[in-house]
Amino acid sequence: MMMSFGKFVLLLALIHVHHCTGAIAASSARTIYYRNTPPDPFGHYSFEFQTTNGITTKGAGNENGAVGVVQFVSLEGIPVTFSYVADANGYRPTGDQIPAIPLHVIRQLEYIRTHPPVDERRSRRW
C-alpha cells in the first residue's frame, strides 16, 4: 500500500508525539483544556485540546475538508509546529520541521504530468 508524503509526515509526527508523551504520561501529563464539537448533520466539526506537557492541537472541518494545527516540544526541547489542510487537493502539511520534497522527485512528478501515459497494447511489437 502506497502512502502519500503528507500522510507519511503526519504519521511520523504522531509517532513522535506518542513517544514524547509516553515518557511523560506516567509522571504528570494531564489534559488542561479540551473542547470537542462532534459532526453535525452537515459534517461541520471542531476540536481542540492542550495538555500540561505542552501538546496543543486544534482542528475543524466539514464535508469539503479539514484544517488544523499541532504543537509540541520535542525531546530535544525544540518547539514543533505544523499546520495542515486536507481537501479535494489532498493532505498538505506545512511547518519548519517537515522536510522539503527533493528536487528529483519534483522533476519526476513534472515529467509524469507532462507526458501522456503509454498505451501498452499499441507499444508492443510482437
Side-chain angles (χ1 to χ4, degrees), residues 24-47:
I24 300 170
S27 61
S28 64
R30 295 186 326 261
T31 301
I32 56 176
Y33 177 76
Y34 176 79
R35 186 180 66 80
N36 181 35
T37 305
D40 65 16
F42 303 104
H44 300 91
Y45 69 93
S46 65
F47 63 90

Side-chain angles (χ1 to χ4, degrees), residues 13-62:
L14 291 175
I15 289 170
H16 184 75
V17 169
H18 176 72
H19 176 71
C20 290
T21 59
I24 300 170
S27 61
S28 64
R30 295 186 326 261
T31 301
I32 56 176
Y33 177 76
Y34 176 79
R35 186 180 66 80
N36 181 35
T37 305
D40 65 16
F42 303 104
H44 300 91
Y45 69 93
S46 65
F47 63 90
E48 58 184 292
F49 70 84
Q50 182 177 11
T51 63
T52 56
N53 61 357
I55 298 171
T56 303
T57 186
K58 296 179 183 182
N62 58 32

Side-chain angles (χ1 to χ4, degrees), residues 10 58 67-71 80-86 91-96 98:
L10 178 62
K58 296 179 183 182
V67 296
V69 64
V70 177
Q71 298 175 315
V80 176
T81 300
F82 71 90
S83 57
Y84 62 89
V85 174
Y91 176 79
R92 298 179 311 281
T94 57
D96 292 340
I98 297 174

